[in-house]
Amino acid sequence: MIRVEHLRKQLGNKQVLSDVSFTVEPGTIFALIGPNGAGKTTTIRCLTGALQADGGQIELFGENYKNFSQIYLKERMAVVPEERHVFRNFTAKDYVQIWSRLYSKWDDTIFSNFVARYSFDLSQKVESYSIGMKTILFVGLCVASQADLLILDEPTQHLDPTVRLEIMDMLKECASSGRTILISSHEIFEIEEYATHFGIIKEGRVIYSDSIDNAKENHRIVDKGENLQASDVIGLVGSSVLVKTKSDVGRYPRLNEIVVGYLTGHHERSLSLR
Amino acid sequence: MKNFDVYVKKQLLEKYPSMVFFLVVMLFPHFGAKAFGLFFIMLFSLASDVRQKRLDLMTFLPLNRRQIFWMEYLFLCLLLSTTFFVGLPFAERSIYAWLVLVRSFIFFSSYFGVIISAVSIGFDPYGAAFLFLLVDLVLGGIGSSQLGPTFNPYKLISPVYQANLLASLVFALILIYMAYRLFTQRGGER
């Protein structure tokens, strides 16, 4: 569905992406995780055609995505942008009109359910919505677009806990119906609840990507003083160490521990120099 | 076509408060009035979106930069033609009335090219537009368009003076092509 290889992008004098590679399979929820400024949003902007990459390849739906001339590919993806900027003077109704014109598989029933559930005032200007309401509106538009690929930048940001859970369930439902979802998020604790795969991005490079289940199976958290055996040390997680091994040492990690281990570790440096 | 409908709706809804005054000015069947209105409408349109980092709002939708560029150009052509035809009954009934439309089109194409090129490579579109206007007025105002000791070839292609319609049209098309290349390749990325 999505194959990104060695993506590079410089903005001004800053090398924002230096080597981004990952693959997203159909029907999965892939989370791009990383700290602020790691390159998550830039990767998404390259995928959507908002930015042109300086190098590397993007393959979407099995086709090489070049120069963003393939509008039919863009019609198969719907995006929730990170900064919830909206068109000025647009009401939610205006948004619905343009989305339903642009997406041929638009489903009014799905959007109507959204409107009813979250009590949107369709005649109100979207600018005046709270940031949480804007997020819900965009997620609703994305889901109702029936696009095959949903790209959501921080989809649960500024939402209250109940709505977060509802949105996560909805995304899981979308994935189980065969649609592919790419999300970018800082929320490492909640990602485990709904994502199936993940990639850790740091300083413009994807330093690790795998399915969550595989990653847990191949890593261990080892406490101080424990024998590391023939393990590959990844990084520190508090006072413990994250290691990559299949040996029966320590305990299985949680996703957030894997992420923290990779982000604090210097393991990827040696990988990059090989 | 559906994309163009969406674009027109988006531009009209978003920009009408800043466009109304200039559209009224453009109703006057006079080149100066049309050039004045077009100059400011161009600044408030796509160039302003790029400058304010709002282009992503469109590129996140199933639209690409190539489409956005040409839809903006067509949209502004539409505004120019509409105001021209609405104002036409009040114009002098001669070929000169139609000449105003042609000259306005050349002026608009040239300045659109300059403004979009400037914003695509990261310059301030307002600064670039006013600077080009100043240079155009000063450089085009010197000398004569007739062959002789004071001959000034720039006067022939100047978007304001347009001493030779064909030459200024060619100049405008070159500027448009340059803007298209810069916008599709760089698009004021930040």
Side-chain angles (χ1 to χ4, degrees), chain B residues 80-114:
Chain B
L80 170 62
S81 316
T82 309
T83 51
F84 171 78
F85 286 110
V86 171
L88 193 60
F90 309 99
E92 197 183 320
R93 290 185 192 278
S94 72
I95 187 73
Y96 294 107
W98 293 92
L99 210 56
V100 167
L101 178 66
V102 176
R103 292 189 66 204
S104 304
F105 171 77
I106 293 172
F107 173 87
F108 145 67
S109 298
S110 307
Y111 275 79
F112 181 76
V114 169

PDB file of all heavy atoms in Angstrom, chain B residues 80-114:
ATOM      1  N   LEU B  80     -11.708  38.698 -14.295  1.00  0.00           N
ATOM      2  CA  LEU B  80     -11.419  39.784 -15.238  1.00  0.00           C
ATOM      3  C   LEU B  80     -12.502  39.844 -16.317  1.00  0.00           C
ATOM      4  O   LEU B  80     -13.057  40.911 -16.591  1.00  0.00           O
ATOM      5  CB  LEU B  80     -10.028  39.563 -15.864  1.00  0.00           C
ATOM      6  CG  LEU B  80      -9.655  40.465 -17.032  1.00  0.00           C
ATOM      7  CD1 LEU B  80      -9.616  41.923 -16.597  1.00  0.00           C
ATOM      8  CD2 LEU B  80      -8.293  40.076 -17.610  1.00  0.00           C
ATOM      9  N   SER B  81     -12.830  38.680 -16.886  1.00  0.00           N
ATOM     10  CA  SER B  81     -13.834  38.649 -17.963  1.00  0.00           C
ATOM     11  C   SER B  81     -15.205  39.071 -17.438  1.00  0.00           C
ATOM     12  O   SER B  81     -15.912  39.851 -18.088  1.00  0.00           O
ATOM     13  CB  SER B  81     -13.957  37.250 -18.549  1.00  0.00           C
ATOM     14  OG  SER B  81     -12.712  36.714 -18.744  1.00  0.00           O
ATOM     15  N   THR B  82     -15.573  38.571 -16.270  1.00  0.00           N
ATOM     16  CA  THR B  82     -16.899  38.889 -15.724  1.00  0.00           C
ATOM     17  C   THR B  82     -17.038  40.389 -15.496  1.00  0.00           C
ATOM     18  O   THR B  82     -18.032  41.004 -15.906  1.00  0.00           O
ATOM     19  CB  THR B  82     -17.128  38.121 -14.403  1.00  0.00           C
ATOM     20  OG1 THR B  82     -16.833  36.761 -14.619  1.00  0.00           O
ATOM     21  CG2 THR B  82     -18.542  38.273 -13.893  1.00  0.00           C
ATOM     22  N   THR B  83     -16.032  40.983 -14.849  1.00  0.00           N
ATOM     23  CA  THR B  83     -16.130  42.421 -14.578  1.00  0.00           C
ATOM     24  C   THR B  83     -16.100  43.214 -15.893  1.00  0.00           C
ATOM     25  O   THR B  83     -16.766  44.237 -16.020  1.00  0.00           O
ATOM     26  CB  THR B  83     -14.994  42.888 -13.645  1.00  0.00           C
ATOM     27  OG1 THR B  83     -13.748  42.439 -14.176  1.00  0.00           O
ATOM     28  CG2 THR B  83     -15.164  42.372 -12.236  1.00  0.00           C
ATOM     29  N   PHE B  84     -15.365  42.692 -16.875  1.00  0.00           N
ATOM     30  CA  PHE B  84     -15.309  43.382 -18.160  1.00  0.00           C
ATOM     31  C   PHE B  84     -16.693  43.386 -18.810  1.00  0.00           C
ATOM     32  O   PHE B  84     -17.185  44.424 -19.245  1.00  0.00           O
ATOM     33  CB  PHE B  84     -14.280  42.710 -19.079  1.00  0.00           C
ATOM     34  CG  PHE B  84     -14.318  43.238 -20.491  1.00  0.00           C
ATOM     35  CD1 PHE B  84     -13.729  44.459 -20.809  1.00  0.00           C
ATOM     36  CD2 PHE B  84     -14.966  42.533 -21.497  1.00  0.00           C
ATOM     37  CE1 PHE B  84     -13.783  44.961 -22.095  1.00  0.00           C
ATOM     38  CE2 PHE B  84     -15.014  43.027 -22.795  1.00  0.00           C
ATOM     39  CZ  PHE B  84     -14.431  44.244 -23.095  1.00  0.00           C
ATOM     40  N   PHE B  85     -17.322  42.216 -18.847  1.00  0.00           N
ATOM     41  CA  PHE B  85     -18.615  42.128 -19.546  1.00  0.00           C
ATOM     42  C   PHE B  85     -19.721  42.846 -18.779  1.00  0.00           C
ATOM     43  O   PHE B  85     -20.632  43.393 -19.390  1.00  0.00           O
ATOM     44  CB  PHE B  85     -18.972  40.670 -19.845  1.00  0.00           C
ATOM     45  CG  PHE B  85     -18.152  40.111 -20.962  1.00  0.00           C
ATOM     46  CD1 PHE B  85     -17.178  39.155 -20.734  1.00  0.00           C
ATOM     47  CD2 PHE B  85     -18.324  40.590 -22.267  1.00  0.00           C
ATOM     48  CE1 PHE B  85     -16.399  38.662 -21.781  1.00  0.00           C
ATOM     49  CE2 PHE B  85     -17.547  40.097 -23.315  1.00  0.00           C
ATOM     50  CZ  PHE B  85     -16.576  39.136 -23.069  1.00  0.00           C
ATOM     51  N   VAL B  86     -19.627  42.856 -17.456  1.00  0.00           N
ATOM     52  CA  VAL B  86     -20.628  43.605 -16.680  1.00  0.00           C
ATOM     53  C   VAL B  86     -20.460  45.102 -16.947  1.00  0.00           C
ATOM     54  O   VAL B  86     -21.434  45.849 -17.062  1.00  0.00           O
ATOM     55  CB  VAL B  86     -20.505  43.281 -15.158  1.00  0.00           C
ATOM     56  CG1 VAL B  86     -21.387  44.205 -14.323  1.00  0.00           C
ATOM     57  CG2 VAL B  86     -20.861  41.827 -14.881  1.00  0.00           C
ATOM     58  N   GLY B  87     -19.207  45.530 -17.058  1.00  0.00           N
ATOM     59  CA  GLY B  87     -18.952  46.963 -17.275  1.00  0.00           C
ATOM     60  C   GLY B  87     -19.057  47.384 -18.729  1.00  0.00           C
ATOM     61  O   GLY B  87     -19.079  48.588 -19.037  1.00  0.00           O
ATOM     62  N   LEU B  88     -19.135  46.411 -19.632  1.00  0.00           N
ATOM     63  CA  LEU B  88     -19.112  46.709 -21.070  1.00  0.00           C
ATOM     64  C   LEU B  88     -20.222  47.667 -21.540  1.00  0.00           C
ATOM     65  O   LEU B  88     -19.957  48.572 -22.334  1.00  0.00           O
ATOM     66  CB  LEU B  88     -19.170  45.399 -21.867  1.00  0.00           C
ATOM     67  CG  LEU B  88     -18.845  45.503 -23.354  1.00  0.00           C
ATOM     68  CD1 LEU B  88     -17.438  46.037 -23.587  1.00  0.00           C
ATOM     69  CD2 LEU B  88     -18.989  44.142 -24.025  1.00  0.00           C
ATOM     70  N   PRO B  89     -21.469  47.534 -21.067  1.00  0.00           N
ATOM     71  CA  PRO B  89     -22.509  48.450 -21.540  1.00  0.00           C
ATOM     72  C   PRO B  89     -22.207  49.916 -21.240  1.00  0.00           C
ATOM     73  O   PRO B  89     -22.741  50.815 -21.889  1.00  0.00           O
ATOM     74  CB  PRO B  89     -23.753  47.997 -20.756  1.00  0.00           C
ATOM     75  CG  PRO B  89     -23.478  46.605 -20.357  1.00  0.00           C
ATOM     76  CD  PRO B  89     -22.012  46.500 -20.178  1.00  0.00           C
ATOM     77  N   PHE B  90     -21.334  50.147 -20.272  1.00  0.00           N
ATOM     78  CA  PHE B  90     -21.017  51.540 -19.921  1.00  0.00           C
ATOM     79  C   PHE B  90     -19.759  52.038 -20.641  1.00  0.00           C
ATOM     80  O   PHE B  90     -19.309  53.138 -20.422  1.00  0.00           O
ATOM     81  CB  PHE B  90     -20.818  51.666 -18.395  1.00  0.00           C
ATOM     82  CG  PHE B  90     -21.948  51.075 -17.620  1.00  0.00           C
ATOM     83  CD1 PHE B  90     -21.869  49.810 -17.060  1.00  0.00           C
ATOM     84  CD2 PHE B  90     -23.135  51.795 -17.489  1.00  0.00           C
ATOM     85  CE1 PHE B  90     -22.932  49.259 -16.374  1.00  0.00           C
ATOM     86  CE2 PHE B  90     -24.202  51.242 -16.805  1.00  0.00           C
ATOM     87  CZ  PHE B  90     -24.109  49.972 -16.249  1.00  0.00           C
ATOM     88  N   ALA B  91     -19.172  51.147 -21.452  1.00  0.00           N
ATOM     89  CA  ALA B  91     -17.934  51.525 -22.144  1.00  0.00           C
ATOM     90  C   ALA B  91     -18.244  52.167 -23.485  1.00  0.00           C
ATOM     91  O   ALA B  91     -19.347  52.045 -24.017  1.00  0.00           O
ATOM     92  CB  ALA B  91     -17.077  50.276 -22.355  1.00  0.00           C
ATOM     93  N   GLU B  92     -17.235  52.836 -23.992  1.00  0.00           N
ATOM     94  CA  GLU B  92     -17.333  53.449 -25.312  1.00  0.00           C
ATOM     95  C   GLU B  92     -17.517  52.333 -26.342  1.00  0.00           C
ATOM     96  O   GLU B  92     -16.839  51.307 -26.255  1.00  0.00           O
ATOM     97  CB  GLU B  92     -15.983  54.146 -25.564  1.00  0.00           C
ATOM     98  CG  GLU B  92     -15.979  55.161 -26.665  1.00  0.00           C
ATOM     99  CD  GLU B  92     -14.550  55.703 -26.844  1.00  0.00           C
ATOM    100  OE1 GLU B  92     -13.872  55.911 -25.820  1.00  0.00           O
ATOM    101  OE2 GLU B  92     -14.148  55.870 -27.992  1.00  0.00           O
ATOM    102  N   ARG B  93     -18.441  52.529 -27.296  1.00  0.00           N
ATOM    103  CA  ARG B  93     -18.686  51.452 -28.254  1.00  0.00           C
ATOM    104  C   ARG B  93     -17.682  51.526 -29.409  1.00  0.00           C
ATOM    105  O   ARG B  93     -17.954  52.120 -30.452  1.00  0.00           O
ATOM    106  CB  ARG B  93     -20.118  51.550 -28.792  1.00  0.00           C
ATOM    107  CG  ARG B  93     -21.127  51.194 -27.738  1.00  0.00           C
ATOM    108  CD  ARG B  93     -22.545  51.158 -28.234  1.00  0.00           C
ATOM    109  NE  ARG B  93     -23.436  51.083 -27.083  1.00  0.00           N
ATOM    110  CZ  ARG B  93     -23.738  49.969 -26.445  1.00  0.00           C
ATOM    111  NH1 ARG B  93     -23.238  48.835 -26.845  1.00  0.00           N
ATOM    112  NH2 ARG B  93     -24.552  49.994 -25.399  1.00  0.00           N
ATOM    113  N   SER B  94     -16.527  50.955 -29.135  1.00  0.00           N
ATOM    114  CA  SER B  94     -15.503  50.919 -30.186  1.00  0.00           C
ATOM    115  C   SER B  94     -14.563  49.753 -29.896  1.00  0.00           C
ATOM    116  O   SER B  94     -14.668  49.099 -28.858  1.00  0.00           O
ATOM    117  CB  SER B  94     -14.702  52.232 -30.200  1.00  0.00           C
ATOM    118  OG  SER B  94     -13.868  52.282 -29.076  1.00  0.00           O
ATOM    119  N   ILE B  95     -13.632  49.577 -30.819  1.00  0.00           N
ATOM    120  CA  ILE B  95     -12.652  48.495 -30.671  1.00  0.00           C
ATOM    121  C   ILE B  95     -11.811  48.702 -29.406  1.00  0.00           C
ATOM    122  O   ILE B  95     -11.293  47.752 -28.817  1.00  0.00           O
ATOM    123  CB  ILE B  95     -11.781  48.413 -31.956  1.00  0.00           C
ATOM    124  CG1 ILE B  95     -10.844  47.185 -31.934  1.00  0.00           C
ATOM    125  CG2 ILE B  95     -10.937  49.660 -32.156  1.00  0.00           C
ATOM    126  CD1 ILE B  95     -11.549  45.905 -32.152  1.00  0.00           C
ATOM    127  N   TYR B  96     -11.699  49.958 -28.960  1.00  0.00           N
ATOM    128  CA  TYR B  96     -10.854  50.270 -27.805  1.00  0.00           C
ATOM    129  C   TYR B  96     -11.370  49.611 -26.525  1.00  0.00           C
ATOM    130  O   TYR B  96     -10.599  49.304 -25.620  1.00  0.00           O
ATOM    131  CB  TYR B  96     -10.700  51.790 -27.631  1.00  0.00           C
ATOM    132  CG  TYR B  96      -9.938  52.389 -28.792  1.00  0.00           C
ATOM    133  CD1 TYR B  96     -10.590  53.146 -29.762  1.00  0.00           C
ATOM    134  CD2 TYR B  96      -8.567  52.140 -28.943  1.00  0.00           C
ATOM    135  CE1 TYR B  96      -9.903  53.653 -30.857  1.00  0.00           C
ATOM    136  CE2 TYR B  96      -7.874  52.650 -30.039  1.00  0.00           C
ATOM    137  CZ  TYR B  96      -8.543  53.405 -30.981  1.00  0.00           C
ATOM    138  OH  TYR B  96      -7.861  53.889 -32.069  1.00  0.00           O
ATOM    139  N   ALA B  97     -12.651  49.413 -26.464  1.00  0.00           N
ATOM    140  CA  ALA B  97     -13.229  48.759 -25.282  1.00  0.00           C
ATOM    141  C   ALA B  97     -12.669  47.340 -25.161  1.00  0.00           C
ATOM    142  O   ALA B  97     -12.323  46.892 -24.074  1.00  0.00           O
ATOM    143  CB  ALA B  97     -14.744  48.725 -25.402  1.00  0.00           C
ATOM    144  N   TRP B  98     -12.553  46.659 -26.325  1.00  0.00           N
ATOM    145  CA  TRP B  98     -12.035  45.287 -26.316  1.00  0.00           C
ATOM    146  C   TRP B  98     -10.523  45.271 -26.096  1.00  0.00           C
ATOM    147  O   TRP B  98      -9.979  44.320 -25.532  1.00  0.00           O
ATOM    148  CB  TRP B  98     -12.397  44.579 -27.629  1.00  0.00           C
ATOM    149  CG  TRP B  98     -13.878  44.381 -27.720  1.00  0.00           C
ATOM    150  CD1 TRP B  98     -14.774  45.220 -28.304  1.00  0.00           C
ATOM    151  CD2 TRP B  98     -14.620  43.305 -27.151  1.00  0.00           C
ATOM    152  NE1 TRP B  98     -16.056  44.732 -28.143  1.00  0.00           N
ATOM    153  CE2 TRP B  98     -15.982  43.552 -27.435  1.00  0.00           C
ATOM    154  CE3 TRP B  98     -14.281  42.167 -26.441  1.00  0.00           C
ATOM    155  CZ2 TRP B  98     -17.003  42.704 -27.026  1.00  0.00           C
ATOM    156  CZ3 TRP B  98     -15.292  41.307 -26.035  1.00  0.00           C
ATOM    157  CH2 TRP B  98     -16.643  41.586 -26.323  1.00  0.00           C
ATOM    158  N   LEU B  99      -9.910  46.357 -26.529  1.00  0.00           N
ATOM    159  CA  LEU B  99      -8.470  46.484 -26.329  1.00  0.00           C
ATOM    160  C   LEU B  99      -8.144  46.547 -24.828  1.00  0.00           C
ATOM    161  O   LEU B  99      -7.110  46.046 -24.378  1.00  0.00           O
ATOM    162  CB  LEU B  99      -7.968  47.753 -27.030  1.00  0.00           C
ATOM    163  CG  LEU B  99      -6.533  47.713 -27.542  1.00  0.00           C
ATOM    164  CD1 LEU B  99      -6.324  46.549 -28.484  1.00  0.00           C
ATOM    165  CD2 LEU B  99      -6.181  49.032 -28.219  1.00  0.00           C
ATOM    166  N   VAL B 100      -9.049  47.148 -24.091  1.00  0.00           N
ATOM    167  CA  VAL B 100      -8.870  47.218 -22.630  1.00  0.00           C
ATOM    168  C   VAL B 100      -8.808  45.804 -22.049  1.00  0.00           C
ATOM    169  O   VAL B 100      -7.976  45.510 -21.190  1.00  0.00           O
ATOM    170  CB  VAL B 100     -10.016  48.031 -21.975  1.00  0.00           C
ATOM    171  CG1 VAL B 100     -10.040  47.844 -20.463  1.00  0.00           C
ATOM    172  CG2 VAL B 100      -9.882  49.510 -22.315  1.00  0.00           C
ATOM    173  N   LEU B 101      -9.650  44.933 -22.571  1.00  0.00           N
ATOM    174  CA  LEU B 101      -9.667  43.546 -22.085  1.00  0.00           C
ATOM    175  C   LEU B 101      -8.337  42.860 -22.407  1.00  0.00           C
ATOM    176  O   LEU B 101      -7.739  42.206 -21.549  1.00  0.00           O
ATOM    177  CB  LEU B 101     -10.835  42.779 -22.714  1.00  0.00           C
ATOM    178  CG  LEU B 101     -10.929  41.295 -22.320  1.00  0.00           C
ATOM    179  CD1 LEU B 101     -11.235  41.147 -20.832  1.00  0.00           C
ATOM    180  CD2 LEU B 101     -12.009  40.582 -23.134  1.00  0.00           C
ATOM    181  N   VAL B 102      -7.858  43.043 -23.620  1.00  0.00           N
ATOM    182  CA  VAL B 102      -6.603  42.401 -24.034  1.00  0.00           C
ATOM    183  C   VAL B 102      -5.441  42.939 -23.193  1.00  0.00           C
ATOM    184  O   VAL B 102      -4.615  42.184 -22.668  1.00  0.00           O
ATOM    185  CB  VAL B 102      -6.341  42.634 -25.548  1.00  0.00           C
ATOM    186  CG1 VAL B 102      -4.997  42.070 -25.967  1.00  0.00           C
ATOM    187  CG2 VAL B 102      -7.451  42.013 -26.368  1.00  0.00           C
ATOM    188  N   ARG B 103      -5.398  44.253 -23.054  1.00  0.00           N
ATOM    189  CA  ARG B 103      -4.296  44.864 -22.284  1.00  0.00           C
ATOM    190  C   ARG B 103      -4.362  44.432 -20.819  1.00  0.00           C
ATOM    191  O   ARG B 103      -3.337  44.186 -20.189  1.00  0.00           O
ATOM    192  CB  ARG B 103      -4.346  46.387 -22.404  1.00  0.00           C
ATOM    193  CG  ARG B 103      -4.028  46.887 -23.814  1.00  0.00           C
ATOM    194  CD  ARG B 103      -3.870  48.387 -23.849  1.00  0.00           C
ATOM    195  NE  ARG B 103      -2.697  48.788 -23.077  1.00  0.00           N
ATOM    196  CZ  ARG B 103      -2.538  49.982 -22.531  1.00  0.00           C
ATOM    197  NH1 ARG B 103      -3.458  50.910 -22.684  1.00  0.00           N
ATOM    198  NH2 ARG B 103      -1.444  50.265 -21.853  1.00  0.00           N
ATOM    199  N   SER B 104      -5.570  44.358 -20.292  1.00  0.00           N
ATOM    200  CA  SER B 104      -5.717  43.934 -18.896  1.00  0.00           C
ATOM    201  C   SER B 104      -5.244  42.491 -18.737  1.00  0.00           C
ATOM    202  O   SER B 104      -4.604  42.143 -17.743  1.00  0.00           O
ATOM    203  CB  SER B 104      -7.177  44.011 -18.439  1.00  0.00           C
ATOM    204  OG  SER B 104      -7.662  45.286 -18.638  1.00  0.00           O
ATOM    205  N   PHE B 105      -5.564  41.667 -19.732  1.00  0.00           N
ATOM    206  CA  PHE B 105      -5.153  40.267 -19.686  1.00  0.00           C
ATOM    207  C   PHE B 105      -3.622  40.159 -19.691  1.00  0.00           C
ATOM    208  O   PHE B 105      -3.027  39.381 -18.932  1.00  0.00           O
ATOM    209  CB  PHE B 105      -5.771  39.516 -20.878  1.00  0.00           C
ATOM    210  CG  PHE B 105      -5.247  38.125 -21.040  1.00  0.00           C
ATOM    211  CD1 PHE B 105      -5.686  37.110 -20.209  1.00  0.00           C
ATOM    212  CD2 PHE B 105      -4.278  37.836 -21.992  1.00  0.00           C
ATOM    213  CE1 PHE B 105      -5.177  35.822 -20.331  1.00  0.00           C
ATOM    214  CE2 PHE B 105      -3.765  36.555 -22.120  1.00  0.00           C
ATOM    215  CZ  PHE B 105      -4.219  35.547 -21.285  1.00  0.00           C
ATOM    216  N   ILE B 106      -2.977  40.972 -20.525  1.00  0.00           N
ATOM    217  CA  ILE B 106      -1.504  40.934 -20.593  1.00  0.00           C
ATOM    218  C   ILE B 106      -0.906  41.429 -19.275  1.00  0.00           C
ATOM    219  O   ILE B 106       0.020  40.813 -18.727  1.00  0.00           O
ATOM    220  CB  ILE B 106      -1.001  41.792 -21.788  1.00  0.00           C
ATOM    221  CG1 ILE B 106      -1.429  41.142 -23.105  1.00  0.00           C
ATOM    222  CG2 ILE B 106       0.521  41.971 -21.731  1.00  0.00           C
ATOM    223  CD1 ILE B 106      -1.165  41.986 -24.340  1.00  0.00           C
ATOM    224  N   PHE B 107      -1.461  42.507 -18.754  1.00  0.00           N
ATOM    225  CA  PHE B 107      -0.972  43.047 -17.473  1.00  0.00           C
ATOM    226  C   PHE B 107      -1.119  41.992 -16.374  1.00  0.00           C
ATOM    227  O   PHE B 107      -0.173  41.712 -15.633  1.00  0.00           O
ATOM    228  CB  PHE B 107      -1.772  44.309 -17.112  1.00  0.00           C
ATOM    229  CG  PHE B 107      -1.457  44.827 -15.736  1.00  0.00           C
ATOM    230  CD1 PHE B 107      -0.399  45.715 -15.528  1.00  0.00           C
ATOM    231  CD2 PHE B 107      -2.206  44.422 -14.628  1.00  0.00           C
ATOM    232  CE1 PHE B 107      -0.100  46.164 -14.245  1.00  0.00           C
ATOM    233  CE2 PHE B 107      -1.907  44.880 -13.359  1.00  0.00           C
ATOM    234  CZ  PHE B 107      -0.850  45.744 -13.163  1.00  0.00           C
ATOM    235  N   PHE B 108      -2.298  41.394 -16.324  1.00  0.00           N
ATOM    236  CA  PHE B 108      -2.584  40.411 -15.280  1.00  0.00           C
ATOM    237  C   PHE B 108      -1.649  39.202 -15.404  1.00  0.00           C
ATOM    238  O   PHE B 108      -1.070  38.744 -14.414  1.00  0.00           O
ATOM    239  CB  PHE B 108      -4.071  40.027 -15.354  1.00  0.00           C
ATOM    240  CG  PHE B 108      -4.369  38.604 -15.032  1.00  0.00           C
ATOM    241  CD1 PHE B 108      -4.182  38.128 -13.748  1.00  0.00           C
ATOM    242  CD2 PHE B 108      -4.848  37.734 -15.999  1.00  0.00           C
ATOM    243  CE1 PHE B 108      -4.457  36.802 -13.440  1.00  0.00           C
ATOM    244  CE2 PHE B 108      -5.121  36.423 -15.709  1.00  0.00           C
ATOM    245  CZ  PHE B 108      -4.918  35.952 -14.421  1.00  0.00           C
ATOM    246  N   SER B 109      -1.447  38.723 -16.618  1.00  0.00           N
ATOM    247  CA  SER B 109      -0.604  37.539 -16.806  1.00  0.00           C
ATOM    248  C   SER B 109       0.831  37.829 -16.385  1.00  0.00           C
ATOM    249  O   SER B 109       1.479  37.009 -15.729  1.00  0.00           O
ATOM    250  CB  SER B 109      -0.621  37.090 -18.270  1.00  0.00           C
ATOM    251  OG  SER B 109      -1.928  36.740 -18.620  1.00  0.00           O
ATOM    252  N   SER B 110       1.332  38.997 -16.745  1.00  0.00           N
ATOM    253  CA  SER B 110       2.709  39.348 -16.382  1.00  0.00           C
ATOM    254  C   SER B 110       2.876  39.451 -14.882  1.00  0.00           C
ATOM    255  O   SER B 110       3.803  38.871 -14.300  1.00  0.00           O
ATOM    256  CB  SER B 110       3.099  40.693 -16.991  1.00  0.00           C
ATOM    257  OG  SER B 110       2.865  40.685 -18.347  1.00  0.00           O
ATOM    258  N   TYR B 111       1.995  40.172 -14.247  1.00  0.00           N
ATOM    259  CA  TYR B 111       2.125  40.370 -12.797  1.00  0.00           C
ATOM    260  C   TYR B 111       1.834  39.085 -12.033  1.00  0.00           C
ATOM    261  O   TYR B 111       2.460  38.817 -11.014  1.00  0.00           O
ATOM    262  CB  TYR B 111       1.242  41.545 -12.316  1.00  0.00           C
ATOM    263  CG  TYR B 111       1.984  42.849 -12.502  1.00  0.00           C
ATOM    264  CD1 TYR B 111       2.052  43.452 -13.750  1.00  0.00           C
ATOM    265  CD2 TYR B 111       2.674  43.437 -11.450  1.00  0.00           C
ATOM    266  CE1 TYR B 111       2.773  44.619 -13.946  1.00  0.00           C
ATOM    267  CE2 TYR B 111       3.394  44.601 -11.634  1.00  0.00           C
ATOM    268  CZ  TYR B 111       3.442  45.198 -12.877  1.00  0.00           C
ATOM    269  OH  TYR B 111       4.179  46.347 -13.062  1.00  0.00           O
ATOM    270  N   PHE B 112       0.928  38.288 -12.540  1.00  0.00           N
ATOM    271  CA  PHE B 112       0.649  36.991 -11.912  1.00  0.00           C
ATOM    272  C   PHE B 112       1.933  36.152 -11.953  1.00  0.00           C
ATOM    273  O   PHE B 112       2.329  35.534 -10.964  1.00  0.00           O
ATOM    274  CB  PHE B 112      -0.481  36.293 -12.677  1.00  0.00           C
ATOM    275  CG  PHE B 112      -0.875  34.955 -12.107  1.00  0.00           C
ATOM    276  CD1 PHE B 112      -1.638  34.877 -10.954  1.00  0.00           C
ATOM    277  CD2 PHE B 112      -0.486  33.767 -12.732  1.00  0.00           C
ATOM    278  CE1 PHE B 112      -2.007  33.636 -10.430  1.00  0.00           C
ATOM    279  CE2 PHE B 112      -0.855  32.538 -12.210  1.00  0.00           C
ATOM    280  CZ  PHE B 112      -1.615  32.475 -11.059  1.00  0.00           C
ATOM    281  N   GLY B 113       2.598  36.177 -13.109  1.00  0.00           N
ATOM    282  CA  GLY B 113       3.850  35.438 -13.266  1.00  0.00           C
ATOM    283  C   GLY B 113       4.899  35.897 -12.271  1.00  0.00           C
ATOM    284  O   GLY B 113       5.541  35.089 -11.608  1.00  0.00           O
ATOM    285  N   VAL B 114       5.021  37.212 -12.151  1.00  0.00           N
ATOM    286  CA  VAL B 114       6.048  37.754 -11.242  1.00  0.00           C
ATOM    287  C   VAL B 114       5.705  37.434  -9.786  1.00  0.00           C
ATOM    288  O   VAL B 114       6.565  36.973  -9.017  1.00  0.00           O
ATOM    289  CB  VAL B 114       6.169  39.290 -11.445  1.00  0.00           C
ATOM    290  CG1 VAL B 114       7.020  39.912 -10.346  1.00  0.00           C
ATOM    291  CG2 VAL B 114       6.757  39.572 -12.810  1.00  0.00           C
TER     292      VAL B 114
END
